[in-house]
Amino acid sequence: MPDIRLENVTKIYKSQTERRRRETAVQDASLTVEQGEFVFVIGSSGSGKSTLLGLMSGLVRPTRGTVRLGDKDLSMLKLVSKNKVSMCFGYVPQEMSLMRKRTVAENLELAVRVRGFGDKHTREARIKKVLGLVGLPGAEKKYPVELSTGEGRRVELARAIINSPPILVLDELTANLDDDSIWDIFHLLNDINNRGTTVIMATHASRYVNIMRRRVLTMVDGRIHADVRGGKYGDVAGPGRGPSKPI
Ligand code: ADP
């Protein structure tokens, strides 16, 4: 199972409003995420969390530095290999990304089909199973507009895990959800992680980060300000175990 390795990675965007302006979203980030880790990425809005997640999953091309998944350099891949690599990731973006004119089952089926999974019966069974896992049994025929925000996010999580990828990357999955829903989702992610899946999650849910005591990466102004294993929200050094990397 592949590790993710970032070496001196910088991402600079061109400003969308002023042609000449450049925005350094992530600066000189180096880190390794080993298979099976659970990593929270925290930091204020605009600190570079989403960009870091995009870089780690090969969706954002670095301006400088390298991103590796196992022995593959993600920025050097040709399309076929890129598609193969994307199969390693289950990704939930910050914004709702379900197709509005498709039912829940259709949204999920498209994700399964990309992997070419079996016949209709097998696909339906998989969809049923994954909807049960995220606490939405029987939601197949609903349209996204008929779902609450929390239910919509659960369907997106279902879509991300339906092909059992080795790595899950989740951007603010629990934003705007009620406590019960957040708690359910963290439980589920904990179970998934205990079965060996890497979970990388940008979040503001400080209470839950503090309960889970996993690796916590803190972003400040595009830099990795702290990287603490067994950490809490706002920690810059670990509880006796020290930072996983000097800051
Ligand atoms: P966060 O997820 O912590 O809110 P982001 O990674 O979304 O942070 O953004 C970091 C910085 O990069 C912000 O200043 C943001 O405006 C800028 N940025 C992000 N994406 C783009 C983009 N596609 N084009 C231009 N600037 C961007």
Side-chain angles (χ1 to χ4, degrees), residues 11-17 21-26 41-54 60 94 171-172 202 204 219 221-222:
K11 177 64 191 179
I12 302 172
Y13 290 109
K14 286 179 188 159
S15 162
Q16 286 164 349
T17 45
R21 244 191 71 210
R22 299 284 182 269
E23 190 71 57
T24 304
V26 168
V41 181
I42 66 168
S44 53
S45 185
S47 60
K49 302 183 295 300
S50 296
T51 305
L52 187 70
L53 261 46
V60 171
Q94 195 169 1
D171 200 349
E172 305 272 2
H204 288 285
M219 298 294 292
D221 292 338

Side-chain angles (χ1 to χ4, degrees), residues 99 101-111 127 140 143:
M99 283 172 284
K101 294 194 173 164
R102 307 271 185 143
T103 62
V104 166
E106 286 166 349
N107 267 282
L108 296 178
E109 179 157 10
L110 276 172
I127 289 168
E140 281 91 337
Y143 283 87

Side-chain angles (χ1 to χ4, degrees), residues 30 54 81 94 108 123 133-134 136 149-150:
S30 295
S81 321
Q94 195 169 1
L108 296 178
R123 291 199 297 270
L133 268 178
V134 299
L136 288 174
T149 311

Side-chain angles (χ1 to χ4, degrees), residues 2-212:
D3 294 348
I4 301 169
R5 251 180 309 135
L6 270 65
E7 287 162 19
N8 306 106
V9 171
T10 292
K11 177 64 191 179
I12 302 172
Y13 290 109
K14 286 179 188 159
S15 162
Q16 286 164 349
T17 45
E18 295 168 58
R19 237 164 33 104
R20 290 200 172 174
R21 244 191 71 210
R22 299 284 182 269
E23 190 71 57
T24 304
V26 168
Q27 192 157 8
D28 202 24
S30 295
L31 78 142
T32 300
V33 177
E34 283 162 25
Q35 182 63 39
E37 277 199 275
F38 197 129
V39 185
F40 290 115
V41 181
I42 66 168
S44 53
S45 185
S47 60
K49 302 183 295 300
S50 296
T51 305
L52 187 70
L53 261 46
L55 288 162
M56 287 200 241
S57 45
L59 295 170
V60 171
R61 207 189 169 102
T63 310
R64 286 195 290 275
T66 52
V67 180
R68 289 201 169 81
L69 179 70
D71 58 0
K72 293 190 180 67
D73 181 339
L74 293 189
S75 53
M76 304 297 273
L77 294 179
K78 302 228 161 55
L79 191 64
V80 177
S81 321
K82 245 188 189 162
N83 288 342
K84 265 195 197 151
V85 160
S86 70
M87 305 277 185
C88 289
F89 292 93
Y91 178 72
V92 180
Q94 195 169 1
E95 303 296 332
M96 212 281 283
S97 62
L98 296 174
M99 283 172 284
R100 287 162 202 277
K101 294 194 173 164
R102 307 271 185 143
T103 62
V104 166
E106 286 166 349
N107 267 282
L108 296 178
E109 179 157 10
L110 276 172
V112 194
R113 272 187 189 219
V114 171
R115 279 290 289 269
F117 260 125
D119 53 32
K120 196 168 163 45
H121 180 71
T122 314
R123 291 199 297 270
E124 278 172 5
R126 226 181 156 80
I127 289 168
K128 187 171 179 200
K129 185 174 173 205
V130 87
L131 282 174
L133 268 178
V134 299
L136 288 174
E140 281 91 337
K141 294 208 167 106
K142 290 194 173 176
Y143 283 87
V145 66
E146 297 174 284
L147 304 171
S148 69
T149 311
E151 289 168 339
R153 297 307 272 166
R154 282 165 192 247
V155 174
E156 290 187 279
L157 179 58
R159 188 176 55 181
I161 63 177
I162 198 162
N163 294 322
S164 308
I167 305 165
L168 269 183
V169 177
L170 313 166
D171 200 349
E172 305 272 2
L173 179 66
T174 57
N176 307 318
L177 301 191
D178 61 73
D179 271 354
D180 281 352
S181 299
I182 299 179
W183 194 227
D184 288 349
I185 285 179
F186 272 91
H187 257 292
L188 175 60
L189 293 177
N190 203 39
D191 286 349
I192 291 171
N193 175 249
N194 282 339
R195 276 183 252 133
T197 304
T198 305
V199 179
I200 305 169
M201 181 180 198
T203 186
H204 288 285
S206 53
R207 231 176 95 198
Y208 301 91
V209 172
N210 291 346
I211 294 169
M212 302 269 291

